[in-house]
Amino acid sequence: MSRWPLWAVLASGEPAWLERRAYDALGLEKGEEGEDGPPFEVCLGHGRYHGLVGYNPIDVGAEIQIAKELSLEGNEPVYSIERANDPWTVMSWRKGTPDVLERDPESLSNSLGCALPGGDKSPNRAERRPLRKAALVEGVRAHEALRVLEEDAGEPLTPGRYRLEDTPRGLLISSGTGDIGFADITVSERIPRATIYAVIASPDLEEFIVTVRRGGEGIEEFAQPPNELPRLPVVGDIKGGKSPERILAALGIPAEWFRNE
């Protein structure tokens, strides 16, 4: 897996306290993360600010949960950075309220005295390969998924936030932004009968991960290239497909959805 972090949180405070509060925000106990392993690493800064960085594309979105909670406990702004999708998202949080910033992640982190790992190797916007996510949900119809997603959000979803399409193979979930966030996990938790195939891929499909979920839990994983430390039992095919193209065809997910256009 790439050592270029896909997300980060930059906050002021004692590193051990930041780490503990971040675990609390994610509802986890340190050392009891399960097969997924630690969701983030602590990146020590040279001043008041320190970083929490994550490398697994499946954990993208955790930065929002962590930054929101940390911002409620101090007076200095907390910054969240998401670099998995196009465009990058950098936000400043104060008392639980975000504000989108037009800042480059490296320049922001450097200005706070907390350089992100791999900064000198980070691809620029023209060269990088943003990861996108889509899912096939078996056993659930679009209206059921919409209901549980709106219940989880606590309000009606804005038009275009998700594309929910009933197909002969099942429900396809995608987004015009390329990021469905935790929609697949929410549906899996709220509708345990569903079997979900969540696909995260780069535009050229050279990075390709499929996580199979039931009852809110990942049960197996296909990855290309293979993960050195897989989080879940590894399978060699998904629905008989052994390459990204054949797997997408078997799931009925268009490869075009992952292209950076």
Side-chain angles (χ1 to χ4, degrees):
M1 184 172 294
S2 170
R3 299 311 291 170
W4 184 64
L6 297 177
W7 62 267
V9 173
L10 305 175
S12 63
E14 197 274 324
W17 178 82
L18 293 174
E19 181 182 37
R20 184 172 65 254
R21 294 299 296 121
Y23 271 98
D24 291 343
L26 298 177
L28 298 173
E29 293 288 339
K30 186 176 181 179
E32 299 180 359
E33 300 93 345
E35 295 176 343
D36 289 1
F40 58 82
E41 296 177 2
V42 177
C43 177
L44 297 179
H46 300 290
R48 299 191 310 278
Y49 276 80
H50 303 283
L52 306 168
V53 300
Y55 300 89
N56 196 323
I58 292 177
D59 293 327
V60 170
E63 76 281 357
I64 292 177
Q65 295 173 260
I66 296 171
K68 180 179 181 179
E69 292 301 316
L70 290 178
S71 73
L72 294 171
E73 302 195 31
N75 295 320
E76 292 190 90
V78 176
Y79 301 94
S80 65
I81 297 169
E82 187 263 284
R83 303 195 294 185
N85 297 289
D86 190 10
W88 288 329
T89 302
V90 179
M91 291 192 288
S92 170
W93 295 76
R94 289 182 181 272
K95 301 302 179 183
T97 301
D99 182 30
V100 176
L101 302 180
E102 295 295 329
R103 291 288 303 272
D104 179 83
E106 272 73 26
S107 67
L108 172 63
S109 61
N110 290 338
S111 72
L112 296 173
C114 185
L116 295 175
D120 58 338
K121 301 178 181 178
S122 299
N124 61 36
R125 288 180 183 271
E127 295 171 340
R128 68 198 177 88
R129 299 181 301 172
L131 300 173
R132 296 191 170 192
K133 183 178 181 182
L136 172 72
V137 183
E138 295 178 335
V140 174
R141 305 290 289 177
H143 70 275
E144 297 176 278
L146 178 61
R147 175 176 54 80
V148 299
L149 290 171
E150 290 188 333
E151 288 176 353
D152 183 70
E155 60 185 3
L157 298 178
T158 56
R161 180 170 178 182
Y162 299 117
R163 297 171 182 161
L164 304 176
E165 179 185 357
D166 289 320
T167 75
R169 292 182 177 88
L171 169 65
L172 295 184
I173 303 179
S174 64
S175 172
T177 66
D179 182 17
I180 65 172
F182 293 112
D184 57 311
I185 299 175
T186 299
V187 173
S188 182
E189 290 175 339
R190 300 288 295 276
I191 310 179
R193 71 174 186 275
T195 298
I196 297 180
Y197 299 85
V199 180
I200 296 176
S202 61
D204 55 12
L205 304 184
E206 289 188 4
E207 289 186 72
F208 188 84
I209 301 171
V210 182
T211 301
V212 185
R213 297 186 184 280
R214 292 195 189 100
E217 300 291 334
I219 60 173
E220 58 189 24
E221 177 182 274
F222 174 97
Q224 177 182 290
N227 287 329
E228 295 180 4
L229 298 172
R231 308 169 306 106
L232 300 169
V234 175
V235 295
D237 71 274
I238 297 291
K239 291 187 174 293
K242 297 184 178 181
S243 68
E245 293 81 5
R246 291 188 177 276
I247 290 172
L248 290 176
L251 297 176
I253 298 176
E256 291 76 13
W257 284 0
F258 299 96
R259 293 184 181 143
N260 185 22
E261 298 175 345

